[in-house]
Amino acid sequence: MVWGRGVDPCSVGATGTATWLANEPDVTQSAIFIVRSGSFSAAWPWKLVFLGNRVDRATGARTFASFDAEYWLPAKLLEGGRPKVETPTPAWLKAWKSRALPIGLFAAFLVAVAVAHAFRDKLTRRATQRNKWPVNAFKYSAWVISIVFVGFGAMAQPSVTQVLTWVHSLLFQWRWSLFLSDPFVFLFWIFIAATVLIWGRGLFCGWLCPFGSLSEGMFRIGRLIGLRRFQSQLPRKVHDKLKWLKYGVFAGLLGVSLLSMGLAEKLAEVEPFKTTFLVGIQNRAWPFGLFVCAILGLSLFTERPYCKYLCPLGASLAIPSMFRVFGIRRKPDCTRCKACAVGCGAQAIDGKGRIDPRECLLCLDCMVLYTDAHACPPLAKERKRRERDGQPLSRIGRDGYFIPIVPVTSGETRQTRQTDTEAAP
């Protein structure tokens, strides 16, 4: 028996069962539904799903609304009480319990990378343009772990299809079980959402993305095998035009997903992630394998071509990166020096020394140069002047310059010493 708020429950017989639906509309009619299936037993928990519809008389459009409620007869109405019911463990909970150790290691890895990046100022001050190992030791380790453990091992490569799923869930129906079904991807996205708002997309895209790390690794291998003289970046004008392509790809996928999620998932094959980590090149048709090989082959000669020009996932993360809390520090001389722009592999620094947070991959090379008194042109100039004049080299401040040396007269020195003596106990 089902009724709404407008029905008198007293009209139901003594053996009737009353089920109130959450958020039910006011109705003035009731009905009795008889379940004739022999497999149905009211002694066990059951769920009622009610689908209602209405027609807009002005437009003729029909809208639907569903209501559902679980019900179980009270124990006093059943001989011997309610039967024992064992609720099956949700599939997502089984996934978390069965892989507790690797999940814990993955979470620890994410925390370690975040902590290392939080202390990036100290790391970059210890590094120089000729010796970047205080930074690269963490960065290279993150790349290797991302490729081997996260990508090929846990198969936790984030994808733009997950971004589309998040959007659809926010617009239509949110289901936690859907997102919790893959523990690694769930933790990864929590980490990505937090760090994008703090530092921008660079920590994920530049340090932790398995395919991005693989692409960067190919570029480094190219240097080791003697291809350095063939490695180059696209001209600035060409780069500034091509970098918008990935935003167009993302916008197209998002628009298609609103019409057909299935079609959007097929078009999302523009991402090589599925072929590389989830299925494997050897298990896919040759066009998919050729696409991956072409990207990785091109990565031998130019740094991260897919990340900079085609990746819709990177584009989706670049948009909120504009609102990050912490950026890369700049000094006034950066507007005319351009030394950092020359060495920026992501080409995220424009001709005026400004860093585009949407394109920055947080390689930290510019931060190393920022405090390197031998490589940063303004600092090198000041260092040479002080050495020529016999002045000491003071510490480099947060503004990227040597802390000024304030001359003190002998009288001021004696007065200071006398004051210190009187103040001493």
Side-chain angles (χ1 to χ4, degrees):
M1 179 68 193
V2 182
W3 62 71
R5 285 189 292 264
V7 179
D8 182 7
C10 295
S11 62
V12 182
T15 59
T17 300
T19 302
W20 292 88
L21 300 178
N23 302 320
E24 79 280 5
D26 289 327
V27 294
T28 57
Q29 297 179 346
S30 61
I32 297 177
F33 299 89
I34 301 176
V35 181
R36 301 185 183 278
S37 173
S39 61
F40 175 78
S41 173
W44 299 88
W46 56 279
K47 184 176 183 179
L48 173 70
V49 179
F50 177 78
L51 178 65
N53 68 86
R54 64 185 295 270
V55 178
D56 190 329
R57 295 182 179 180
T59 62
R62 185 182 297 272
T63 57
F64 294 86
S66 63
F67 306 90
D68 59 82
E70 293 185 356
Y71 186 77
W72 196 359
L73 283 173
K76 64 181 181 180
L77 300 181
L78 300 172
E79 292 184 2
R82 287 176 171 176
K84 184 178 180 181
V85 177
E86 294 184 1
T87 304
T89 304
W92 67 266
L93 186 56
K94 290 182 179 179
W96 283 76
K97 289 183 176 180
S98 63
R99 308 182 71 182
L101 179 58
I103 291 172
L105 294 175
F106 179 61
F109 168 60
L110 295 179
V111 172
V113 172
V115 171
H117 195 75
F119 289 94
R120 61 185 182 179
D121 285 347
K122 294 184 177 180
L123 294 177
T124 54
R125 283 180 178 273
R126 294 181 179 181
T128 64
Q129 192 70 4
R130 292 186 176 183
N131 179 24
K132 298 179 182 178
W133 276 105
V135 174
N136 288 346
F138 289 95
K139 189 163 56 176
Y140 290 0
S141 298
W143 289 346
V144 173
I145 295 174
S146 296
I147 297 170
V148 178
F149 174 62
V150 181
F152 289 108
M155 293 186 290
Q157 167 71 62
S159 168
V160 71
T161 57
Q162 295 153 6
V163 176
L164 301 179
T165 302
W166 280 82
V167 173
H168 276 246
S169 297
L170 292 173
L171 293 178
F172 304 109
Q173 183 180 11
W174 183 274
R175 289 186 299 162
W176 278 108
S177 59
L178 175 63
F179 300 106
L180 291 169
S181 59
D182 191 323
F184 294 95
V185 172
F186 178 79
L187 290 177
F188 218 161
W189 273 109
I190 295 296
F191 176 86
I192 292 171
T195 56
V196 163
L197 295 178
I198 297 174
W199 295 300
R201 77 178 181 109
L203 187 57
F204 165 71
C205 294
W207 289 55
L208 295 172
C209 175
F211 191 83
S213 300
L214 183 60
S215 178
E216 183 69 38
M218 295 298 294
F219 183 76
R220 305 285 171 165
I221 291 174
R223 288 184 174 181
L224 293 177
I225 62 177
L227 297 179
R228 180 186 289 268
R229 63 182 181 276
F230 301 109
Q231 292 179 335
S232 63
Q233 305 286 5
L234 291 179
R236 188 74 204 189
K237 292 183 178 179
V238 178
H239 166 79
D240 287 342
K241 293 180 180 179
L242 284 182
K243 70 180 182 181
W244 297 106
L245 180 60
K246 60 180 177 289
Y247 297 98
V249 174
F250 171 66
L253 290 174
L254 181 60
V256 171
S257 71
L258 297 177
L259 301 176
S260 172
M261 190 63 181
L263 178 58
E265 290 178 352
K266 292 181 180 179
L267 295 177
E269 289 287 357
V270 69
E271 291 182 324
F273 311 151
K274 181 178 179 180
T275 301
T276 306
F277 299 110
L278 304 183
V279 180
I281 295 178
Q282 71 279 6
N283 298 321
R284 303 215 70 185
W286 68 267
F288 297 102
L290 181 62
F291 180 53
V292 173
C293 292
I295 294 174
L296 296 180
L298 187 60
S299 298
L300 290 169
F301 303 97
T302 187
E303 195 167 355
R304 294 179 182 255
Y306 180 81
C307 305
K308 291 190 288 188
Y309 305 120
L310 201 57
C311 182
L313 175 61
S316 68
L317 300 179
I319 298 172
S321 294
M322 294 187 294
F323 309 102
R324 77 209 183 289
V325 178
F326 300 106
I328 303 294
R329 286 198 297 270
R330 301 273 81 193
K331 62 183 79 174
D333 284 315
C334 292
T335 59
R336 52 184 179 273
C337 173
K338 302 180 182 180
C340 292
V342 174
C344 181
Q347 295 178 268
I349 306 177
D350 63 15
K352 296 183 179 180
R354 297 172 300 189
I355 298 178
D356 187 348
R358 297 167 298 184
E359 304 299 318
C360 178
L361 299 181
L362 291 178
C363 67
L364 302 185
D365 284 355
C366 62
M367 287 191 65
V368 172
L369 193 65
Y370 187 80
T371 55
D372 189 345
H374 292 269
C376 177
L379 285 180
K381 182 179 179 180
E382 175 65 11
R383 175 184 59 81
K384 293 177 181 178
R385 186 193 67 79
R386 291 193 180 192
E387 291 176 345
R388 183 180 64 250
D389 297 342
Q391 296 179 347
L393 296 178
S394 57
R395 186 176 181 275
I396 299 174
R398 289 178 59 85
D399 60 355
Y401 295 101
F402 287 106
I403 295 176
I405 299 176
V406 180
V408 180
T409 62
S410 58
E412 291 176 342
T413 303
R414 287 195 298 270
Q415 183 179 0
T416 301
R417 290 178 179 175
Q418 182 178 359
T419 303
D420 293 341
T421 303
E422 294 175 353

